[in-house]
């Protein structure tokens, strides 16, 4: 399969995954979803990786949704497979062991909003627009939106957005906690890179385990989440990074982490 709709660029310890299908505003058809899955699976195995940015090509769209022309012809059985493929792609991205930042550079609608929601957090450009407009098409979000949006912004906000299909601007998305920061478009990738660079100076094992503790614990009872935290905290004491981090502090010098 020639890969044309998803581009992966690795620069040092950071990767950028870009959906690049301009004729359809980067909409996700089956082929693009498969390319995304392959890209994410390839990154999952890279021990040297410290962070990933997910973005869209061009200045208009992050991803304008699942491909409506492809969905038009689907019966329920094909739709089940398509939904399962999309959910699997979002799960593979969400499960990447390193921080994943969505840099939303325009429309993030339907499956595009769901792609951003699969990332650890979202930065947006001023021209970004968010929405889950599936009910306008007679369907519901199918790539995780009913679940991940609800967990992020709460039931009432998620219901308002999903029931109305409203498209909101970046400022409103920030106000409801969907987006963390809004910057002018030319600064968007720099904003995401700067966060990853700050993260990249910290203990890599600690970052991976913090992500694991947050993600595994978030949907559990507090006591069960705290059990995960205790284990992760104690495990890290056997790492070279933990010894180096504390030693460097006591010796008043910057740490040199090795990820072990
Ligand atoms: C297929 C799409 C598309 C999409 C845009 N295009 N979005 N093609 N699927 N999701 C195509 C248009 O058909 C058009 O093709 C070209 O991209 C440019 O789009 P325009 O509509 O001409 O641009 P504009 O008028 O500026 O409007 C931009 C827009 C609008 C507001 C983003 O395109 C739009 O509403 N798109 C659909 C958004 C949406 O409903 N997304 C949710 C999909 S459902 P031509 O050939 O005419 O140039 C979904 C479900 C996920 O995501 C779960 C599934 C299981």
């Amino acid at each position: 399969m020639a890969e044309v709709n998803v581009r992966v660029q690795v620069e040092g310890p950071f990767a950028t995954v870009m959906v690049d299908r301009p004729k359809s505003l980067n909409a996700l058809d089956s082929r693009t979803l498969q390319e995304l899955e392959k890209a994410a699976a390839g990154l999952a195995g890279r021990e040297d990786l410290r962070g990933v940015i997910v973005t869209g090509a061009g200045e208009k769209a992050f991803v304008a949704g699942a491909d409506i022309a492809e969905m038009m012809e689907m019966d329920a059985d094909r739709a089940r497979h398509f939904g399962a493929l999309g959910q699997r792609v979002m799960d593979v991205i969400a499960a990447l062991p390193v921080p994943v930042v969505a840099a939303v550079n325009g429309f993030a609608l339907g499956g595009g909003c769901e792609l951003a929601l699969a990332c650890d957090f979202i930065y947006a450009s001023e021209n970004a627009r968010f929405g889950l407009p599936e009910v306008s098409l007679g369907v519901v979000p199918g790539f995780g939106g009913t679940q991940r949006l609800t967990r992020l912004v709460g039931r009432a906000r998620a219901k308002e957005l999903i029931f109305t299909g409203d498209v909101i601007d970046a400022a409103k998305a920030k106000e409801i906690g969907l987006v963390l920061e809004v910057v002018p478009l030319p600064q968007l990738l720099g904003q995401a890179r700067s966060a990853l660079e700050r993260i990249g100076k910290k203990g890599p094992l600690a970052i991976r385990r913090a992500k694991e503790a947050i993600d595994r614990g978030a949907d559990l009872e507090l006591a069960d989440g705290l059990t995960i935290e205790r284990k992760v905290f104690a495990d890290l004491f056997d790492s070279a990074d933990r010894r180096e981090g504390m030693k460097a502090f006591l010796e008043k010098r910057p740490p040199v982490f090795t990820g072990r």
Side-chain angles (χ1 to χ4, degrees):
M1 188 168 68
E3 294 186 13
V4 290
N5 296 340
V6 174
R7 292 195 275 131
V8 180
Q9 198 182 348
V10 179
E11 275 175 85
F14 305 120
T16 302
V17 176
M18 180 180 277
V19 181
D20 186 4
R21 197 178 168 232
K23 73 177 166 61
S24 304
L25 299 185
N26 303 331
L28 302 174
D29 62 354
S30 296
R31 180 196 168 115
T32 306
L33 285 168
Q34 282 158 5
E35 288 184 26
L36 261 180
E37 183 179 25
K38 195 172 157 205
L43 294 174
R46 291 185 70 131
E47 297 231 328
D48 54 330
L49 200 66
R50 298 282 180 268
V52 177
I53 297 170
V54 177
T55 194
E59 301 191 343
K60 186 169 174 184
F62 174 71
V63 165
D67 191 290
I68 299 169
E70 185 181 358
M71 288 191 293
M72 179 65 214
E73 303 305 326
M74 289 180 187
D75 58 13
D77 196 47
R78 279 184 61 200
R80 193 173 299 113
H81 283 101
F82 186 65
L85 169 63
Q87 283 192 350
R88 198 168 70 232
V89 173
M90 303 312 156
D91 284 350
V92 173
I93 291 169
L96 281 170
V98 297
V100 182
V101 182
V104 174
N105 55 307
F107 288 108
L109 303 179
C113 188
E114 293 170 303
L115 174 61
L117 283 164
C119 300
D120 291 310
F121 48 85
I122 304 172
Y123 293 146
S125 56
E126 289 163 344
N127 62 314
R129 299 286 179 273
F130 294 82
L132 289 169
E134 282 88 344
V135 291
S136 316
L137 303 168
V139 291
V140 297
F143 293 169
T146 60
Q147 305 306 308
R148 289 198 173 94
L149 182 67
T150 306
R151 282 162 172 74
L152 185 61
V153 303
R155 279 189 208 201
R157 279 295 185 198
K159 285 176 177 171
E160 181 188 39
L161 277 173
I162 290 169
F163 295 170
T164 61
D166 281 350
V167 174
I168 58 173
D169 65 16
K172 179 76 179 176
K174 184 177 176 189
E175 185 192 314
I176 68 171
L178 174 56
V179 160
L180 295 188
E181 301 296 341
V182 180
V183 298
L185 181 59
Q187 292 167 28
L188 178 64
L189 288 178
Q191 169 84 18
R193 245 182 245 124
S194 154
L196 289 184
E197 273 161 17
R198 296 199 306 282
I199 293 167
K201 293 196 175 81
K202 311 300 180 192
L205 271 185
I207 302 295
R208 286 177 182 236
R209 298 303 302 272
K211 177 166 173 169
E212 178 195 333
I214 294 167
D215 285 341
R216 283 182 54 208
D219 299 322
L220 303 180
E221 295 286 341
L222 179 62
D224 295 330
L226 290 172
T227 301
I228 293 172
E229 184 184 83
R230 275 200 305 282
K231 176 168 176 8
V232 164
F233 179 74
D235 283 354
L236 286 166
F237 276 72
D238 284 336
S239 69
D241 278 356
R242 191 279 299 181
R243 277 187 295 279
E244 168 62 11
M246 293 187 179
K247 196 159 175 274
F249 175 82
L250 295 173
E251 292 171 359
K252 302 188 189 306
R253 61 170 174 83
V256 183
F257 292 118
T258 56
R260 277 192 280 270

